[in-house]
Amino acid sequence: METKRARFSRILMEDMFQVKAGETVAITSDLGTDRETIDAMAQAAMNAGAFPLVMYIPQAKKDGQAGMVDWPSAALTAALLKADVWIEANSVVILYSDIWETAMRDNKKLRYLIIAESTIDSLDRVFTGYKITDLKKLLLPLTNMAKKCNSVRITSTNGTDVSYDIDTNYTFDYDDGDFSIPKFGTAPGFVNIVPKLNSMNGRIVFDYLQHAELFNKVEFVMKDGVIIEVAGEGAAQFKEYLSSWDDENMYKISHNMLGLNPKVHAITGELVEDERIWGGVDFGFGHTSAMDMPPFGQMAKSHFDGVVAKTSIYFDDIQITDNGEVCHEELRPLAESLLSATNV
């Protein structure tokens, strides 16, 4: 019987990346990474005829650009510039650092995916049990609808009520699990929007916030795209986290992900999974790559995310979801079909 690690790794390499014989599959990890999962991915790459290149590096003290002092950046960058595939499985992530920005900018063939420190149970839920084509049928029209609207409003019974404007100069993206072409890939099951600068206003009440205690219900008050108030249980500790960066851009919205992974229906405390919760949303803050926010991006020392479950989402005055369920008349049949075909 195929184990969860073997199943996840096989689907990742063969179905999602469609790895070819002779390709180099780079896997970065650190001392906080589950080595059994790394070994399973390397074996699956070999089974597909590729060359796995597993790189264990020190576990940095902080994510992103702030971690540069702890990594062998020159050697790591040189290797990534030659790879065909890069799977980032670091517990403290390289994402948005100079290493990442250089590799993504200069290696035009690179297919990148971040899974961070996800457990194998979480990876099995997020990556297996559904067809890429079925997920695409829902995410693609939702992305096209987002591009055509002027504003987005997100509410929740937990007290969240926040809105922002659309800027069509910025990147709109979705991940359905097809990593067969060069791209900045993340786990499947979302549509990503970069809000127009200085346009987000309202209140966000998080059901899960990175770097805060799980289920603390930290609240942000947003004004013109900036966090102006942190309230709720655990607010004092999170204020300390934010102020420790001494970086005003860490208070600014970066992106908004609309979660629609058909196997994710509850907050687990695993960020990669929770960001894709069905009918929920993720808000990212801090660093934004110039790839997503051309031409300059939003430079910051790091990046963090928070999740709101069971949301009601509106594109202009058109309701897309209602308390976590897809209700739009054109999208609802696609959502129901995807859910019914998913192997839970």
Side-chain angles (χ1 to χ4, degrees), residues 291-305:
M291 293 190 303
D292 294 328
M293 186 189 281
F296 303 116
Q298 179 173 274
M299 299 299 103
K301 292 179 179 178
S302 192
H303 182 97
F304 67 91
D305 293 83

Side-chain angles (χ1 to χ4, degrees), residues 24 30-31 142 157 177 180 234:
T24 298
D30 58 35
L31 297 180
L142 179 60
T157 56
S180 63

